[in-house]
């Protein structure tokens, strides 16, 4: 596993959500860095630091999910409850890792890899699923296709 | 470690920036209470912090609503979630639990993230709306002045 490098393909085109996702990525990278540094030093004592990052990650993720769910609700997104379920599963996963970490279990880079995998997968599938509707309903941005159609129609009309 | 106010916490709307700055002061008060090992001091500053934060949220929410910020509901939900969290900490503190260190950490991280990511997002819309409002007032007072001295 390597550090999570953010790129355009992860963007939904809703700035605030893209920024929140990037913040989560930073937290995951922090976990990766701490565990990597620890492997180098072979001290086996990364738990205190990771515990704190995990606590911040839980807090931030919960807040981000609440934000996203509010957007989906307002846009009448039909798959809101499924999406909420996935969010709750992820929150459960991080909370579980945090608890294990508190019990003194050594946290490896595997943990960062799991979080990274989950986030990429979630953004690319479930989050992309609501993006168009939210942009349309809340930002008044028409879907790409429709915009093309309008532009074409307009240019035809004024030819 | 106390939270140092710096320009990267500014969003560029002076009235909001000064309110955020005051919240930072209260958070540092929580930290001081922790250093003094004083539960009484903690409960007092926590009361003030919650009071002030609630009125700040109400102010901010009316500002973004008025400006037509598209993510008002979501922003409000995040405020409500945070309010419930600090109130839960307050309950634990009142019950005599030692939550100060965890609380100070949560407060600092939350506020910095919220300012830098969530609040900064509404700045453009709110500023544009404020400029419009100022312009309207100016034209109004302009015509009033014109009538008076014209
Ligand atoms: Fe999501
Ligand atoms: Fe806010």
């Amino acid at each position: 596993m390597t550090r999570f490098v953010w790129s355009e393909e992860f963007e939904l085109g809703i700035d605030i959500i893209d920024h929140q996702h990037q913040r989560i990525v930073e937290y995951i990278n922090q976990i990766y860095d701490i565990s990597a540094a620890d492997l180098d030093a072979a001290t086996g004592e990364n738990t205190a630091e990771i515990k704190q990052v995990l606590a911040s990650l839980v807090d931030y993720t919960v807040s981000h999910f609440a934000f996203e769910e509010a957007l989906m609700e307002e846009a009448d997104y039909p798959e809101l409850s499924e999406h909420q379920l996935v969010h709750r599963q992820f929150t459960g996963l991080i909370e579980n890792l945090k608890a294990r970490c508190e019990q003194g279990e050594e946290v490896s880079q595997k943990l960062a890899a799991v979080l990274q995998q989950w986030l990429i997968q979630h953004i690319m599938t479930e989050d992309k699923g609501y993006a168009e509707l939210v942009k349309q309903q809340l930002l008044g941005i028409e879907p790409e296709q429709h915009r093309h159609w309008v532009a074409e129609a307009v240019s035809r009309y004024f030819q | 470690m106390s939270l140092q106010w710096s320009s990267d916490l500014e969003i560029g709307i002076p009235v909001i920036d000064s309110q955020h700055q005051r919240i930072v002061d209260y958070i540092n008060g929580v930290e001081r209470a922790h250093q003094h090992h004083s539960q009484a001091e903690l409960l007092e500053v926590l009361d003030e912090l919650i009071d002030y934060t609630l009125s700040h949220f109400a102010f901010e929410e009316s500002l973004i609503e008025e400006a037509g910020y598209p993510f008002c509901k979501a922003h409000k939900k995040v405020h409500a979630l945070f309010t419930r969290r600090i109130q839960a900490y307050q309950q634990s503190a009142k019950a005599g639990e030692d939550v100060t260190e965890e609380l100070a950490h949560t407060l600092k991280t939350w506020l910095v993230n919220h300012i830098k990511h969530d609040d900064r997002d509404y700045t453009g819309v709110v500023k544009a709306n404020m400029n419009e409002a100022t312009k309207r007032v100016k034209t109004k007072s302009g015509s009033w002045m014109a009538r008076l001295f014209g």
Side-chain angles (χ1 to χ4, degrees):
Chain A
M1 167 207 182
T2 47
R3 284 182 117 246
F4 191 144
V5 184
W6 184 263
S7 81
E8 240 172 63
E9 60 176 315
F10 303 123
E11 278 169 17
L12 303 187
I14 304 168
D15 284 352
I16 187 159
I17 298 293
D18 292 332
H19 291 150
Q20 289 175 356
H21 283 153
Q22 284 174 62
R23 185 70 189 100
I24 299 177
V25 165
E26 280 167 28
Y27 278 128
I28 297 176
N29 280 339
Q30 239 174 305
I31 295 175
Y32 174 80
D33 290 342
I34 298 167
S35 51
D38 185 63
L39 282 183
D40 292 342
T43 56
E45 279 182 357
N46 60 5
T47 19
E49 251 181 292
I50 288 192
K51 238 189 289 177
Q52 212 156 61
V53 182
L54 275 175
S56 304
L57 177 64
V58 173
D59 277 359
Y60 193 75
T61 309
V62 166
S63 161
H64 161 67
F65 286 167
F67 195 97
E68 254 187 7
E69 287 164 17
L71 296 192
M72 288 185 255
E73 203 183 321
E74 214 182 334
D76 277 325
Y77 182 57
E79 281 161 62
L80 171 64
S81 56
E82 288 89 336
H83 201 124
Q84 264 170 329
L85 199 70
V86 179
H87 280 173
R88 239 168 289 146
Q89 279 168 348
F90 185 63
T91 316
L93 171 73
I94 330 174
E95 263 161 359
N96 177 266
L97 292 172
K98 195 179 129 213
R100 274 161 54 190
C101 192
E102 267 155 12
Q103 240 115 68
E105 202 176 302
E106 182 68 16
V107 175
S108 64
Q109 280 176 301
K110 238 189 275 168
L111 161 70
V114 170
L115 298 176
Q116 201 186 78
Q117 271 312 311
W118 187 91
L119 188 67
I120 294 176
Q121 155 82 16
H122 182 62
I123 293 176
M124 297 306 275
T125 57
E126 283 106 353
D127 285 351
K128 293 237 161 152
Y130 76 69
E132 280 312 317
L133 187 72
V134 164
K135 279 192 270 189
Q136 205 179 332
Q137 297 294 317
L138 272 69
L139 297 174
I141 302 174
E142 292 299 328
E144 217 55 49
Q145 260 182 325
H146 182 68
R147 209 161 33 198
H148 285 319
W149 183 85
V150 173
E152 259 171 50
V154 168
S155 68
R156 239 182 293 136
Y157 189 79
F158 286 106
Q159 246 166 22
Chain B
M1 233 193 346
S2 70
L3 188 55
Q4 216 57 254
W5 181 263
S6 67
S7 59
D8 66 326
L9 287 173
E10 275 166 19
I11 66 169
I13 301 170
V15 59
I16 295 289
D17 286 334
S18 65
Q19 288 178 1
H20 284 158
Q21 217 164 334
R22 180 127 171 231
I23 297 178
V24 166
D25 290 340
Y26 283 127
I27 294 178
N28 289 333
V30 170
E31 197 114 274
R32 271 195 303 281
H34 177 57
Q35 281 154 8
H36 298 160
H37 304 286
S38 165
Q39 187 78 353
E41 194 181 325
L42 172 73
L43 288 177
E44 204 186 311
V45 73
L46 207 48
D47 247 355
E48 291 169 339
L49 171 77
I50 292 174
D51 244 29
Y52 189 77
T53 306
L54 285 182
S55 63
H56 163 67
F57 283 168
F59 178 82
E60 205 179 71
E61 287 165 11
S62 64
L63 206 64
I64 59 179
E65 233 159 57
E66 166 121 14
Y69 177 60
F71 305 127
C72 279
K73 275 196 185 152
H75 198 111
K76 274 188 181 174
K77 204 169 156 192
V78 167
H79 283 172
L81 200 70
F82 179 68
T83 307
R84 277 205 299 277
R85 276 220 67 198
I86 6 177
Q87 281 166 341
Y89 274 118
Q90 188 186 32
Q91 286 310 314
S92 314
K94 275 184 182 158
E97 265 177 71
D98 183 20
V99 290
T100 329
E101 200 176 350
E102 197 186 312
L103 171 63
H105 179 254
T106 306
L107 290 171
K108 280 188 281 187
T109 327
W110 188 86
L111 188 71
V112 171
N113 276 330
H114 185 66
I115 292 177
K116 285 191 176 172
H117 300 275
D118 303 341
D119 288 345
R120 199 156 275 166
D121 192 68
Y122 69 62
T123 313
V125 180
V126 167
K127 267 186 170 169
N129 185 57
M130 281 172 135
N131 286 341
E132 267 312 302
T134 328
K135 244 189 260 163
R136 275 199 301 275
V137 171
K138 272 190 186 148
T139 6
K140 240 195 229 161
S141 65
S143 58
W144 174 78
M145 296 267 271
R147 250 181 288 133
L148 199 66
F149 298 107

